[in-house]
Amino acid sequence: MKGRNAVVTGSTSGIGLAIAHALAAEGCNVMLNGFGDPAAIDVTRREIAEKTGRTVRYFAADMGRPDEVRALVAAASSALGPVDILINNAGVQHVAPLADFPDEKWDLLLAVNLSAAFHATKAVMPSMLDRRFGRIVNIASALGLVGAPHKPAYVATKHGLVGLTKSVALEVAQAGVTCNVVCPGMVMTPIIEMQVADQARVTGLPPEEVVQGVFLENQPIRRPVKLEEIAAAVVFLCSDAAAGVTGTALSVDGGYVAR
Ligand code: NAD
C-alpha cells in the first residue's frame, strides 16, 4: 500500500482518525477531513506525518454539501495525486421517536451519512477506472444490517450505504476497483459518548451502567469494539490481499448481528 493516496472523510476524531493513522502507518499519504478546532487538527496532522513519514493534509469540507465533497476530492488529487483509496466514514446521529424526529435532522443524516458517499465515490471513480485501481470502503454500522428504534434516519442511511456498496461494486467489478462496507458494532467515540451522557441524564443511571446495560446489551463480546479493530479491517479491504473481496459487508461488531 506504500505510496497510495487515501481520502478519509470525518477523520478528525474517532473511527476515521484511527483509519487515517492505520493507512499512513501502512505507507499511504492521507487527506484528513472533518470538523474541529483548526489548531488541534493541525497538531494531529503533524503527528501522523511525523510518525509515519507520509504526506498528510487536511481539507475542511462539509460532507453535507455536494460541492464541498467534490472540492475535497479535488483538493486531495492536487495535494497528493490521484485518489487510490476512499474511506466514506463521516457520520452523524440523531435519536428520537419518529413522531418527534425533526425533518431537518432527517435531511442532515441523509446528506452526511449517505449522499456524501455517493458524491465522493462519483468524484473519485473516473480516475480509478483510468488507472484500473481503486479501493472504496464505506463505514456503515451493525445498524446497516439490522434495525433499532428511535433511529429512523441513521438506520435508513446505514442500510442505504450497504446497498450503495453493492451497486458500485457490481458496476466496477472488472475494472480493478473494489467497494466494500464495514459494519462496526459499538465503539467508544464522541458520537457514542454523547448518547451515553444523554441516556445517563434521562435515566439517572451512572454512565458505566448505561454503557453495559444499554449500549453493550446487544453486543455479545460485552465490550466496545476497539478503534484498532475497525482500522485493521479497513486496512485489509484496502490491501492487495483483498483484491477479490468486493460488494461485501464486513461486520466488526462483537457478534451484534449474529444473534
Ligand atoms: P465521531 O463523532 O468520533 O466522528 C465523526 C467524524 O465525522 C468527525 O471527524 C466529525 O468531525 C466528522 N463529521 C461529522 N459531520 C461532518 C460533516 N458534515 N462533514 C465532515 N465531517 C463531518 O464518530 P465515530 O464513532 O468515529 O463515527 C465514524 C463513523 O462510524 C460514522 O459514520 C458512524 O456512524 C460510524 N459508526 C460508529 C459506531 C460507534 O459505535 N462509534 C458504530 C457504528 C458505526
Side-chain angles (χ1 to χ4, degrees), residues 97 104 198 202 215 247:
E104 59 277 12
D198 283 349
V202 170
F215 285 84

Side-chain angles (χ1 to χ4, degrees), residues 2 4 10 30 33 39 41 56 65 67 84 103 136 138 144 157 178 193 197 202 221 250:
K2 202 157 186 202
R4 300 270 190 221
V30 179
N33 156 262
I41 293 170
V56 182
R65 300 177 57 106
D67 52 337
D84 302 299
D103 293 353
I136 299 162
N138 297 318
T157 57
T178 68
E193 282 157 8
V202 170
I221 59 171
L250 176 52

Side-chain angles (χ1 to χ4, degrees), residues 10-13 33-38 41 58 60-64 68 92 112:
S11 45
T12 50
S13 96
N33 156 262
F35 296 144
D37 168 46
I41 293 170
Y58 165 74
D62 178 348
M63 291 294 101
E68 295 194 24
V92 283
V112 177

Side-chain angles (χ1 to χ4, degrees), residues 10 12-15 35 62-63 89 140 154 158 184-185 187 189-192:
T12 50
S13 96
I15 292 172
F35 296 144
D62 178 348
M63 291 294 101
N89 166 79
Y154 192 81
K158 296 302 186 177
V187 187
T189 65
I191 206 174
I192 293 289

Side-chain angles (χ1 to χ4, degrees), residues 44-230:
T44 303
R45 186 189 69 72
R46 283 165 191 270
E47 271 171 12
I48 303 175
E50 277 160 25
K51 213 162 151 187
T52 62
R54 309 314 305 178
T55 305
V56 182
R57 294 281 153 78
Y58 165 74
F59 192 81
D62 178 348
M63 291 294 101
R65 300 177 57 106
D67 52 337
E68 295 194 24
V69 177
R70 288 187 285 271
L72 170 66
V73 171
S77 307
S78 65
L80 309 175
V83 177
D84 302 299
I85 294 171
L86 168 66
I87 314 296
N88 289 308
N89 166 79
V92 283
Q93 173 64 290
H94 188 79
V95 183
L98 187 74
D100 304 329
F101 206 90
D103 293 353
E104 59 277 12
K105 288 290 181 188
W106 171 266
D107 291 342
L108 175 73
L109 265 71
L110 248 73
V112 177
N113 294 5
L114 182 56
S115 298
F118 162 76
H119 294 296
T121 301
K122 191 174 168 188
V124 297
M125 193 57 81
S127 136
M128 287 183 176
L129 293 177
D130 280 352
R131 290 173 301 114
R132 296 194 68 77
F133 181 87
R135 293 283 185 271
I136 299 162
V137 181
N138 297 318
I139 306 300
S141 166
L143 300 186
L145 302 171
V146 297
H150 301 164
K151 298 179 179 176
Y154 192 81
V155 171
T157 57
K158 296 302 186 177
H159 275 69
L161 269 181
V162 174
L164 174 67
T165 301
K166 291 176 186 172
S167 180
V168 171
L170 292 173
E171 182 174 329
V172 298
Q174 294 175 40
V177 180
T178 68
C179 181
N180 292 288
V181 56
V182 170
C183 295
M186 194 273 239
V187 187
M188 238 347 147
T189 65
I191 206 174
I192 293 289
E193 282 157 8
M194 276 182 328
Q195 294 172 62
V196 170
D198 283 349
Q199 291 259 359
R201 207 171 29 250
V202 170
T203 59
L205 292 170
E208 319 74 72
E209 276 183 41
V210 171
V211 169
Q212 274 302 326
V214 180
F215 285 84
L216 293 176
E217 194 192 4
N218 295 320
Q219 194 151 298
I221 59 171
R222 286 281 175 173
R223 64 159 176 83
V225 176
K226 295 178 186 157
L227 289 170
E228 314 85 83
E229 292 168 340
I230 306 293

